Amino acid sequence: MNIHLVRLAAMVERLGPKLDDIHITLDSHSNVDIAHPIWWKDSSGAHPAPFTIITAADVKAGTWVTTRPSLQSRSLQYLENLEATNRYPHCIWPPHCLIGSWGHGVYPALFDALQVWTERFAMVDFVVKGSNPYTEHFSAVRAEVPDPEDPTTQVNAPFIQTLEVPDIILAAGQARNFCMANTVRDTVAAFSNPKYVEKIHLLTDATSDVPGFGSLGEDFVKEMKAKGMKTTTTVDFLR
């Protein structure tokens, strides 16, 4: 049981019509993806294990090459562009949130709560991200390295404009140290008024980290709280 999403579902049920809009971000990947093992191989033809870090220097040295030689130049350029952002190294993830699989869907308890919420003739906004195989796409706002030929990887301006309207924005979900962190950071960076960060309330009991990445999640919270983000819980909010 995912206790974080169970808590979030209970909050949606409790607040009901007090919630004007709900946005659900969906990682939407294919197995063939630059951040999945199949994309890369070593000199023996073996794919990297999940959580392997691959750098541009590794590729230049021949430690890792692309499984398809035609992708080598583009992938190296991607790694160089990613490293220039100084945000995250390129991590190989287990194949996850594969389009068409159960992992691509909304957690059942939360999905049921959303269905009840829509009975007031409201529509959940499902924000799809990550289907471009050439770039990592943690954030719901933009890809780590936007593809100039793919608008879905560039800043999602309608999403930002929607978030500028309400008085309060509740943020929750997985993973606090990657997808959530980048979504909040990119949202704040794209706001037309930097003080809008003060609208954001992070639901601390409805978030979780990917294990094994040190203090990235806590660092994100400290960074955003210093800018004005607030924290609360699914139980305490509006009690």
Side-chain angles (χ1 to χ4, degrees):
M1 179 174 68
N2 189 321
I3 188 61
H4 302 91
L5 295 182
V6 169
R7 291 169 182 157
L8 185 59
M11 182 182 189
V12 171
E13 293 173 348
R14 175 171 67 85
L15 295 180
K18 294 180 180 178
L19 298 172
D20 292 324
D21 292 294
I22 296 179
H23 306 272
I24 301 291
T25 65
L26 295 174
D27 258 7
S28 304
H29 300 307
S30 297
N31 188 43
V32 177
D33 186 283
I34 199 167
H36 288 167
I38 195 173
W39 196 272
W40 304 94
K41 65 179 182 178
D42 62 15
S43 59
S44 68
H47 299 303
F51 307 111
T52 298
I53 301 298
I54 296 180
T55 67
D58 292 332
V59 175
K60 290 177 181 178
T63 305
W64 297 106
V65 299
T66 53
T67 301
R68 289 288 177 88
S70 60
L71 297 174
Q72 182 81 3
S73 177
R74 180 170 184 171
S75 299
L76 174 58
Q77 183 65 61
Y78 168 77
L79 292 176
E80 291 174 336
N81 291 340
L82 179 66
E83 290 170 13
T85 69
N86 199 33
R87 189 139 79 166
Y88 297 111
H90 185 59
C91 180
I92 301 302
W93 301 101
H96 62 286
C97 298
L98 300 181
I99 299 169
S101 74
W102 69 268
H104 183 238
V106 178
Y107 189 73
L110 180 57
F111 182 82
D112 290 344
L114 296 176
Q115 290 299 101
V116 172
W117 184 79
T118 64
E119 290 300 316
R120 50 191 285 267
F121 211 82
M123 295 185 182
V124 176
D125 175 31
F126 291 97
V127 182
V128 176
K129 65 184 182 73
S131 58
N132 185 309
Y134 301 105
T135 178
E136 184 62 273
H137 203 148
F138 295 125
S139 168
V141 176
R142 65 173 181 85
E144 292 303 301
V145 178
D147 181 345
E149 297 181 357
D150 183 358
T152 69
T153 68
Q154 298 163 39
V155 173
N156 187 338
F159 180 59
I160 296 298
Q161 290 164 5
T162 299
L163 294 181
E164 290 193 334
V165 174
D167 296 324
I168 295 173
I169 301 168
L170 299 171
Q174 286 73 39
R176 186 183 66 160
N177 48 355
F178 286 99
C179 293
M180 168 174 282
N182 282 13
T183 296
V184 173
R185 285 179 176 129
D186 289 343
T187 296
V188 171
F191 275 154
S192 61
N193 184 339
K195 288 187 70 63
Y196 287 165
V197 66
E198 297 173 5
K199 299 180 178 186
I200 301 175
H201 292 63
L202 177 68
L203 300 172
T204 58
D205 64 335
T207 67
S208 62
D209 293 338
V210 176
F213 289 90
S215 64
L216 288 179
E218 291 297 332
D219 292 345
F220 151 68
V221 175
K222 291 176 183 177
E223 174 192 344
M224 288 296 111
K225 286 182 71 174
K227 293 184 176 182
M229 182 184 78
K230 301 174 179 63
T231 58
T232 184
T233 70
T234 57
V235 175
D236 295 331
F237 184 76
L238 287 187
R239 282 295 188 188

